Amino acid sequence: MTALLQSWAFHLAHALWQTTLAATAILVLLRALRGTSPRLRHALAMIGIVKFVLPPMLPLPTGVFSAAPPVPELTLVRDGIASLDPRVVLALFLLHAGGAVIALARLAWEAWRLRAIVRGARPSQDAATSTRYLLSDEIGVPLTAGIFRPVILIPTTLARSLTPAELEDVLAHEAQHIRTRDTLLNTMQAIVAALWWFHPLVHRLASTARGLREERCDDALLAGGTCTRAHYARTLLQAATFVSGKAPAAAAAIAESPHSLLQRIRRISDARFTPSARLGATAVLLLLVTALLLLPGLRISASNRFAFDHATRHALHH
């Protein structure tokens, strides 16, 4: 087994058990906190996604992983990799790399296609709206596209069916995506999901985060008084009748599906609904504790003997 393949297998194995535990903990926490502020739940989901990006070993003193003792189950990671047939490791590496290349190529094609749609879209001539947007016959849902110079795209048929006030609600929602840089977040998490294409929990977290960004925009508009609750719910209901297809991963659409829109309408219509524009002190404390517990990896030190080969332990001692 070459040093490169051994290093890949070693780090992937440690990253795999850590990310699985962290993502599971986040999903359980999100379920326990359902009904709370979407800002809080979105931040928690992003902590889970960030865990998939961090190296599995970091020289940090905090977190449950850095305190992991050299128990037999963890020793098996090192010993199990050493016992694998080099041909098996090579096959797994090629499978991982091939899947990532295909997933990244799909994202690149979506980005190219979305750019072509933006170029073919027509500027709106509606002077009654205060927000600039483009009309397109090639999309089935209002969305925001672009990372550095985002633009709002509205399906032509939907724009014709909405009243000026309803159109303003839709544009306000998409403008909120621009303010919170959601297209950038969508792009980054799509890349993470492509690299971890084989892990179902990262896709679950990414889907959850996208949905919570929509709820976060709803709350921002309603808490700020930009829209009234009853009128905004009617706007979403009207939009739900036109939503078709799925928006590109890098775009920020007003909804992932008609079903998700209806769920948000029920949430907004609930008498107990209270929009939240910012995080409270308790929520910030919860996020800080969760990040400190889950984000660091195994602490790099000579005491983590189960995590390193002889050459690495020798280098740590010297």
Side-chain angles (χ1 to χ4, degrees):
M1 187 186 306
T2 66
L4 177 62
L5 286 178
Q6 188 174 24
S7 177
W8 166 82
F10 170 76
H11 284 85
L12 181 63
H14 277 293
L16 187 59
W17 70 263
Q18 288 185 38
T19 53
T20 299
L21 289 178
T24 301
I26 290 292
L27 289 171
V28 169
L29 188 57
L30 288 175
R31 184 170 181 80
L33 294 174
R34 63 184 182 277
T36 59
S37 165
R39 288 180 177 272
L40 170 61
R41 288 178 288 140
H42 174 261
L44 288 170
M46 292 306 297
I47 288 175
I49 293 174
V50 167
K51 180 60 185 175
F52 283 87
V53 179
L54 294 179
M57 290 162 290
L58 288 174
L60 298 174
T62 59
V64 294
F65 299 115
S66 66
V71 295
E73 289 80 6
L74 299 181
T75 307
L76 288 176
V77 173
R78 180 196 63 193
D79 296 341
I81 291 173
S83 65
L84 287 176
D85 188 316
R87 291 171 295 183
V88 173
V89 178
L90 177 60
L92 292 175
F93 173 77
L94 292 176
L95 178 63
H96 182 198
V101 168
I102 292 173
L104 290 172
R106 180 180 177 182
L107 287 179
W109 182 87
E110 284 188 352
W112 176 85
R113 175 61 182 156
L114 187 58
R115 186 175 181 182
I117 290 175
V118 171
R119 287 181 173 178
R122 307 178 305 279
S124 168
Q125 303 299 321
D126 187 357
T129 61
S130 57
T131 304
R132 297 181 60 185
Y133 65 96
L134 303 177
L135 293 170
S136 175
D137 299 322
E138 300 184 68
I139 57 174
V141 58
L143 56 84
T144 300
I147 297 176
F148 303 108
R149 298 180 63 183
V151 295
I152 298 174
L153 293 169
I154 304 293
T156 304
T157 53
L158 176 61
R160 290 172 179 169
S161 68
L162 296 176
T163 66
E166 290 171 341
L167 182 57
E168 281 288 357
D169 285 351
V170 172
L171 294 175
H173 179 96
E174 294 305 318
Q176 185 63 31
H177 279 307
I178 295 177
R179 281 190 288 272
T180 52
R181 308 289 294 180
D182 285 344
T183 53
L184 176 61
L185 292 176
N186 283 349
T187 300
M188 291 191 299
Q189 77 174 30
I191 293 173
V192 174
L195 296 176
W196 285 88
W197 59 268
F198 57 90
H199 203 308
L201 295 186
V202 71
H203 296 285
R204 176 70 179 275
L205 283 172
S207 176
T208 299
R210 286 180 68 97
L212 288 170
R213 285 183 197 120
E214 300 305 323
E215 292 186 19
R216 186 182 61 178
C217 286
D218 295 341
D219 279 29
L221 296 180
L222 294 172
T226 303
C227 312
T228 63
R229 190 165 68 167
H231 191 275
Y232 188 66
R234 287 195 298 270
T235 298
L236 293 183
L237 185 60
Q238 178 73 354
T241 62
F242 285 85
V243 172
S244 62
K246 187 177 181 180
I254 197 171
E256 296 297 300
S257 66
H259 177 68
S260 65
L261 261 178
L262 293 176
Q263 286 183 320
R264 285 161 53 200
I265 292 170
R266 284 195 293 269
R267 172 177 175 265
I268 293 170
S269 303
D270 193 317
R272 297 167 296 179
F273 171 74
T274 303
S276 174
R278 61 189 63 184
L279 293 174
T282 303
V284 172
L285 180 60
L286 176 60
L287 291 173
L288 181 61
V289 171
T290 302
L292 289 176
L293 285 175
L294 298 182
L295 287 187
L298 295 174
R299 181 165 43 185
I300 298 178
S301 68
S303 63
N304 289 108
R305 294 180 179 275
F306 63 89
F308 303 101
D309 56 20
H310 175 75
T312 304
R313 290 199 302 272
H314 179 77
L316 286 171
H317 281 295
H318 296 82

